[in-house]
Amino acid sequence: MTHPAIALIQQRFSGNRFDESHDMEDDLIRQLVDLATRAPSAYNLQNWRYIAVRATPSKRRLCELAYGQTKVSAAAVTFIVCGLPPDPQALGRRLQPFVDTGHMPASMAASWQDDVRKKYADPGAARDEAIRSASLGAATLIHAASALGLASSPMTGFDEAGVRRAFKLADEELPVMLVPVGRAAPGNWPQKPRRPLSEVLEIA
Amino acid sequence: MTHPAIALIQQRFSGNRFDESHDMEDDLIRQLVDLATRAPSAYNLQNWRYIAVRATPSKRRLCELAYGQTKVSAAAVTFIVCGLPPDPQALGRRLQPFVDTGHMPASMAASWQDDVRKKYADPGAARDEAIRSASLGAATLIHAASALGLASSPMTGFDEAGVRRAFKLADEELPVMLVPVGRAAPGNWPQKPRRPLSEVLEIA
């Protein structure tokens, strides 16, 4: 039997039209982000942060910073998905509960911290990992939204510096994507056509 | 009623142990990648490519290039997920079917091509988008694998130059992640602990 999650992936579309009368309660926002944080990240770094922009004036400000793309304010919530550079100190805290339950030896957690210290000393590598983790998180948010019957629409077209200022991001936080999430309104495009598999898959 | 996809996201774990007797047929590889390509990408660029490394000698080579991490060769298939810099010419071809079905005006497709030409003239912006798209694709592959009852394990620890050479990547292709996929063997860790929601979510 085909798992129902398959059809969700097959039918997902990026929404441009959202039901403006739809408000999203704290509990649903929390459920969405709880699911998004189940995404994998290198070393379990969890180097991400989600800002759920819900208040009308905040959405209006964010919409301006996204060059007036109305879905930002029409959707119940637009998430700013931020990635962060890997932080070996923080990783220690994030792995500690797994050490405490006896899953991971303390020596392994320490060696992962060492690896992170070396691997991301280069700011370019750290930036790449911030984008990778935030994108894995954003994709998981998007699939979680589908499972909750909601439409979503990842966006990379926005004024990065303006978003940093308006939403008081820390210096090291990189806004990687905006993701409006809400109830779909009529008139959305279906999923856009995909390239033939032969163009994108090689079996080696 | 809770959609069954929710539990898949909640229970997903990154596998380290795979059933080495599990072979994956072409059809299942094709199904997995077909689902992965349903991921969103900026402008529907679909700037990704998947190499399914299945043959034993190829997996052994890739395992060496991943510093001997045995999951690369133990899993039935390890995918090399590549991102590409956005290409306005290619975008025209990718949007054309959507124009042909009357969903998108030809003028809009042309204007998206112009946007892409301007936005990604900077090589840094192009690289960021390659990582973003490949990561959205990899996450979708991972969730699709769960839905098909398979374990997966995204990895960023590998010799990039070596992978480029060994698997004959084009110069502009960036290997963003390796994703072993296969049947889980006993002894895997459960999902690692997540940070408290209060650390990663702000409602604005």
Side-chain angles (χ1 to χ4, degrees):
Chain A
M1 227 225 24
T2 305
H3 193 286
I6 299 286
L8 284 187
I9 293 173
Q10 286 171 327
Q11 290 154 19
R12 186 203 57 78
F13 58 89
S14 292
N16 280 311
R17 298 180 186 216
F18 290 90
D19 175 354
E20 298 193 35
S21 72
H22 176 214
D23 295 319
M24 202 182 291
E25 298 189 351
D26 280 17
D27 277 357
L28 185 51
I29 295 176
R30 294 173 61 83
Q31 185 181 10
L32 271 166
V33 175
D34 175 79
L35 290 166
T37 66
R38 308 306 183 99
S41 55
Y43 301 97
N44 197 33
L45 280 161
Q46 305 176 65
N47 49 327
W48 45 48
R49 196 164 75 89
Y50 294 82
I51 305 169
V53 182
R54 180 181 56 185
T56 303
S58 308
K59 286 200 291 187
R60 203 168 289 151
R61 184 81 190 90
L62 187 57
C63 179
E64 285 163 15
L65 292 166
Y67 315 117
Q69 294 180 81
T70 52
K71 53 190 166 185
V72 170
S73 44
V77 169
T78 294
F79 291 92
I80 305 171
V81 185
C82 300
L84 286 106
D87 172 354
Q89 293 295 108
L91 180 61
R93 292 194 297 278
R94 285 165 205 173
L95 294 178
Q96 192 57 46
F98 214 45
V99 173
D100 292 341
T101 53
H103 285 98
M104 179 179 271
S107 58
M108 186 185 282
S111 122
W112 284 23
Q113 285 181 271
D114 278 348
D115 287 353
V116 165
R117 200 169 284 118
K118 285 174 207 143
K119 185 169 174 184
Y120 303 107
D122 168 46
R127 180 188 168 88
D128 287 356
E129 202 61 85
I131 297 175
R132 208 156 18 208
S133 290
S135 300
L136 290 167
T140 304
L141 178 74
I142 286 164
H143 294 302
S146 295
L148 292 165
L150 299 169
S152 63
S153 185
M155 302 167 57
T156 59
F158 57 90
D159 170 357
E160 184 186 311
V163 167
R164 283 179 180 283
R165 268 195 307 274
F167 293 91
K168 299 184 171 41
L169 269 53
D171 286 347
E172 70 273 20
E173 289 183 313
L174 182 69
V176 171
M177 224 176 290
L178 303 185
V179 187
V181 176
R183 208 179 281 144
N188 276 299
W189 279 332
Q191 188 181 80
K192 295 179 199 76
R194 267 24 189 185
R195 301 168 65 188
L197 215 47
S198 58
E199 278 187 19
V200 296
L201 170 62
E202 172 189 344
I203 300 182
Chain B
M1 227 222 30
T2 306
H3 194 286
I6 299 287
L8 285 186
I9 294 173
Q10 286 171 328
Q11 289 154 20
R12 187 204 56 79
F13 58 90
S14 292
N16 281 310
R17 300 180 185 216
F18 289 90
D19 176 356
E20 298 193 36
S21 72
H22 176 214
D23 294 319
M24 202 183 291
E25 298 189 350
D26 281 17
D27 278 356
L28 184 51
I29 294 175
R30 294 173 62 82
Q31 186 181 8
L32 270 166
V33 174
D34 175 78
L35 290 166
T37 66
R38 308 307 183 99
S41 56
Y43 300 97
N44 198 32
L45 280 161
Q46 305 176 64
N47 50 326
W48 45 49
R49 196 165 76 88
Y50 294 83
I51 304 170
V53 182
R54 178 179 59 184
T56 303
S58 307
K59 285 200 291 188
R60 203 170 288 152
R61 184 81 191 92
L62 187 56
C63 179
E64 285 164 15
L65 292 166
Y67 314 118
Q69 296 179 79
T70 52
K71 54 191 165 184
V72 169
S73 44
V77 169
T78 294
F79 291 92
I80 306 171
V81 185
C82 299
L84 286 107
D87 172 353
Q89 292 295 107
L91 180 61
R93 292 194 298 278
R94 287 166 202 172
L95 294 178
Q96 192 57 46
F98 214 45
V99 173
D100 291 342
T101 53
H103 286 96
M104 180 179 269
S107 59
M108 186 185 283
S111 124
W112 285 23
Q113 285 181 270
D114 278 347
D115 287 353
V116 165
R117 199 168 287 117
K118 285 175 208 144
K119 185 169 173 182
Y120 303 107
D122 168 47
R127 180 187 168 88
D128 287 356
E129 201 62 85
I131 298 175
R132 207 156 17 208
S133 290
S135 301
L136 290 167
T140 304
L141 178 73
I142 285 164
H143 293 302
S146 295
L148 292 165
L150 299 169
S152 64
S153 184
M155 302 167 57
T156 59
F158 57 90
D159 169 357
E160 183 186 311
V163 168
R164 283 178 181 282
R165 268 194 308 273
F167 293 90
K168 299 185 171 43
L169 268 53
D171 286 346
E172 70 274 17
E173 290 182 313
L174 182 69
V176 171
M177 226 177 288
L178 304 184
V179 187
V181 177
R183 207 178 283 143
N188 276 299
W189 280 330
Q191 187 182 79
K192 295 181 199 73
R194 265 27 189 184
R195 300 169 66 188
L197 214 50
S198 57
E199 278 187 19
V200 297
L201 169 61
E202 171 190 344
I203 301 182

